[in-house]
Amino acid sequence: MESVLSKYENQITIFADYLEEFPDTDDLVWILGKQHLLKTGGTGPSSDAGWGCMLRCGQMMLAQALICRHLGRDWNWEKQKEQPKEYQRILQCFLDRKDCCYSIHQMAQMGVGEGKSIGEWFGPNTVAQVLKKLALFDEWNSLAVYVSMDNTVVIEDIKKMCRVLPLRTDTDGESPPDSLNASNHSKATSACCPAWKSLLLIVPLRLGINQINPVYIDAFKECFKMPQSLGALGGKPNNAYYFIGFLGDELIFLDPHTTQTFVDTEEDGTVDDQTFHCLQSPQRMNILNLDPSVALGFFCKEEKDFDNWCSLVQKEILKENLRMFELVQKHPSHWPPFVPPAKPEVTTTGAEFIDSTEQLEEFDLEEDFEILSV
């Protein structure tokens, strides 16, 4: 897209003062022997107002996961207090710049691979797929992002994706010396044991047709009680919110619909973080007013956290007759084989070079996972 923009940008700038008088059209405009495209002036949208709320909610959920990953779940932000260097580095991931891993630019561009044009409104499942793909290029945070398909979380697949062998320190092909004693052998064995890659687990769900089915309410609320909870993405048609908890039958949410100016890195490498945090108190809405398309989020830093999450799901979610989602041990035999996602071989982390990785294990992105009435 950028090559097209650069080709015509100079030509369109000449007529910038007159473009509002032309019709909204994709047709070529011919003036004095040169062709112009009315819709390719500038460098794209200058704001995400009106279309970026679900992307911002996805950023919120991911930012919470990264805070848990680097600073711990009990860490709290305090205004005008010097923050850890990890915190500043987390902020760098979300700056509104094209070269930042989880910027609005990267998310919007990656959405093109999911069939969403830049400037088009996303649903919770699309945002989940976008985060899954962008995480492949994020070596510092080293997150494994698993997005459940067909309302099913597969334990075997997650463990295959999160268990990674540490880098070997010995030279390949060399056999251990004969003098290796039992103690050294034990250490060598433990060094080859799989490590756990921190897991961001996202479960897109459809909890009704036109409105949430009341039979899911108790199970939905139970998810916010879990120590692994990252809340939920959802909202109402054309209005996305980040749900972080509940009070009775009311959901507590953060609202991204506050237009703010661009923030960049300061000269000392830090980021002015005032607008990265809530400027108003969290809001509440009755759970029955929630659109039925949602995406639950969970973070498991270690394998024992995931095992604990599985136990809680077995106890609190799967006891219901009409279950929100399924948790199975083995990969379903009728599904295509599970292949852990891997970073494509590219020379840049720019999302414009990334095609749609995998094909979601040959499953289609169904619109019933998306918020309707857009």
Side-chain angles (χ1 to χ4, degrees):
M1 184 178 71
E2 280 198 341
S3 60
V4 175
L5 291 177
S6 60
K7 180 178 180 181
Y8 293 102
E9 185 171 5
N10 292 335
Q11 300 175 24
I12 291 299
T13 302
I14 302 174
F15 304 101
D17 296 336
Y18 307 99
L19 288 180
E20 292 184 1
E21 301 178 11
F22 282 81
D24 185 15
T25 178
D26 291 317
D27 293 340
L28 291 174
V29 177
W30 288 91
I31 300 178
L32 299 176
K34 293 184 179 181
Q35 66 179 19
H36 305 273
L37 296 176
L38 293 179
K39 291 188 175 181
T40 56
T43 57
S46 59
S47 170
D48 65 309
W51 60 273
C53 54
M54 183 60 79
L55 283 76
R56 295 300 186 185
C57 290
Q59 288 179 324
M60 292 183 195
M61 176 179 283
L62 178 59
Q64 178 61 23
L66 298 186
I67 286 174
C68 294
R69 164 83 170 80
H70 296 288
L71 302 175
R73 188 172 284 269
D74 295 331
W75 180 85
N76 289 306
W77 176 76
E78 294 182 36
K79 187 176 182 180
Q80 296 179 338
K81 179 182 178 181
E82 184 177 354
Q83 305 297 344
K85 64 180 186 301
E86 292 87 356
Y87 167 81
Q88 287 291 335
R89 192 164 180 182
I90 290 172
L91 292 186
Q92 300 274 351
C93 297
F94 298 95
L95 291 176
D96 290 335
R97 288 176 16 189
K98 193 172 183 180
D99 59 347
C100 295
C101 189
Y102 301 111
S103 68
I104 195 79
H105 308 72
Q106 293 279 16
M107 295 183 70
Q109 182 64 51
M110 185 63 79
V112 174
E114 300 299 328
K116 298 289 185 179
S117 302
I118 294 178
E120 186 176 352
W121 201 85
F122 283 25
N125 187 42
T126 302
V127 168
Q129 301 297 342
V130 163
L131 294 179
K132 172 184 174 181
K133 294 177 181 179
L134 288 178
L136 299 175
F137 296 86
D138 180 12
E139 296 181 0
W140 175 62
N141 291 302
S142 187
L143 276 183
V145 181
Y146 179 92
V147 181
S148 68
M149 295 301 301
D150 200 23
N151 287 5
T152 303
V153 176
V154 183
I155 296 174
E156 179 184 49
D157 294 346
I158 289 177
K159 295 209 170 187
K160 182 185 295 185
M161 181 171 63
C162 291
R163 285 174 173 169
V164 292
L165 289 173
L167 295 175
R168 294 185 57 181
T169 56
D170 60 318
T171 304
D172 290 341
E174 289 186 2
S175 56
D178 295 336
S179 59
L180 183 67
N181 58 34
S183 175
N184 288 336
H185 178 72
S186 175
K187 292 179 181 178
T189 302
S190 63
C192 294
C193 290
W196 179 265
K197 195 173 185 179
S198 295
L199 170 68
L200 169 56
L201 169 59
I202 306 178
V203 185
L205 299 170
R206 180 108 189 140
L207 302 180
I209 301 176
N210 296 318
Q211 59 184 20
I212 188 171
N213 189 328
V215 302
Y216 294 120
I217 289 178
D218 288 341
F220 187 71
K221 289 161 63 174
E222 283 295 330
C223 292
F224 290 98
K225 297 180 182 180
M226 297 178 180
Q228 301 84 1
S229 175
L230 290 177
L233 306 177
K236 297 181 292 186
N238 294 325
N239 285 279
Y241 304 127
Y242 176 35
F243 296 94
I244 58 175
F246 71 93
L247 173 62
D249 287 329
E250 290 185 317
L251 295 174
I252 302 170
F253 66 90
L254 305 181
D255 186 352
H257 296 89
T258 301
T259 303
Q260 305 185 70
T261 56
F262 168 80
V263 175
D264 205 347
T265 309
E266 304 285 347
E267 290 184 2
D268 61 358
T270 62
V271 177
D272 182 0
D273 63 353
Q274 299 301 306
T275 59
F276 281 78
H277 299 272
C278 294
L279 301 181
Q280 57 183 347
S281 300
Q283 302 179 51
R284 303 194 306 274
M285 65 176 282
N286 190 290
I287 194 170
L288 290 175
N289 294 330
L290 177 69
D291 189 279
S293 284
V294 298
L296 296 168
F298 305 94
F299 176 75
C300 303
K301 186 173 183 177
E302 300 177 359
E303 186 170 6
K304 64 180 181 180
D305 299 325
F306 177 63
D307 292 337
N308 175 256
W309 179 84
C310 292
S311 299
L312 291 173
V313 169
Q314 292 279 359
K315 180 181 178 181
E316 303 296 342
I317 305 299
L318 301 186
K319 67 180 181 180
E320 304 294 337
N321 292 328
L322 190 58
R323 300 171 177 177
M324 281 201 310
F325 60 89
E326 296 289 344
L327 177 67
V328 298
Q329 184 68 45
K330 296 293 185 180
H331 185 84
S333 59
H334 62 282
W335 285 16
F338 176 76
V339 179
K343 177 181 175 181
E345 293 297 325
V346 295
T347 57
T348 176
T349 59
E352 65 274 15
F353 293 94
I354 307 169
D355 293 325
S356 182
T357 59
E358 313 178 272
Q359 287 297 320
L360 306 178
E361 289 79 35
E362 297 183 7
F363 283 89
D364 292 328
L365 274 178
E366 297 187 8
E367 286 303 316
D368 62 357
F369 280 123
E370 302 299 306
I371 290 181
L372 304 180
S373 304
V374 177

